[in-house]
């Protein structure tokens, strides 16, 4: 796995965790921010052929 792929997957995991935390805390604004970030990261992964595992987020 190259550095780009590893870094992207780590950012996705971190963002998923942050999104879960925001939902648990009831922070609607932060949920929107984190969901937008996660959508962007997943789109970037798809554009570069990086396979992202299925998440419960």
């Amino acid at each position: 796995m190259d550095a780009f792929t590893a870094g992207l997957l780590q950012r996705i995991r971190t963002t998923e965790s942050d999104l879960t935390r925001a939902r648990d805390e009831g922070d609607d604004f932060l949920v929107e921010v984190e969901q937008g970030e996660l959508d962007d990261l997943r789109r970037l992964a798809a554009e570069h052929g990086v396979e992202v595992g299925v998440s419960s987020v």
Side-chain angles (χ1 to χ4, degrees):
M1 180 180 309
D2 63 29
F4 173 79
T5 301
L8 183 57
L9 292 173
Q10 179 58 47
R11 287 183 62 197
I12 289 171
R13 284 189 298 270
T14 299
T15 303
E16 288 173 339
S17 175
D18 292 346
L19 177 56
T20 298
R21 187 176 312 109
R23 284 181 177 155
D24 290 347
E25 293 174 359
D27 188 334
D28 294 337
F29 175 75
L30 189 54
V31 167
E32 287 188 39
V33 170
E34 296 298 345
Q35 186 62 62
E37 177 73 8
L38 186 57
D39 292 344
D40 289 343
L41 291 169
R42 287 179 175 164
R43 183 174 43 255
L44 184 62
E47 289 172 359
H48 291 276
V50 176
E51 197 167 315
V52 178
V54 177
S55 171
S56 60
V57 176

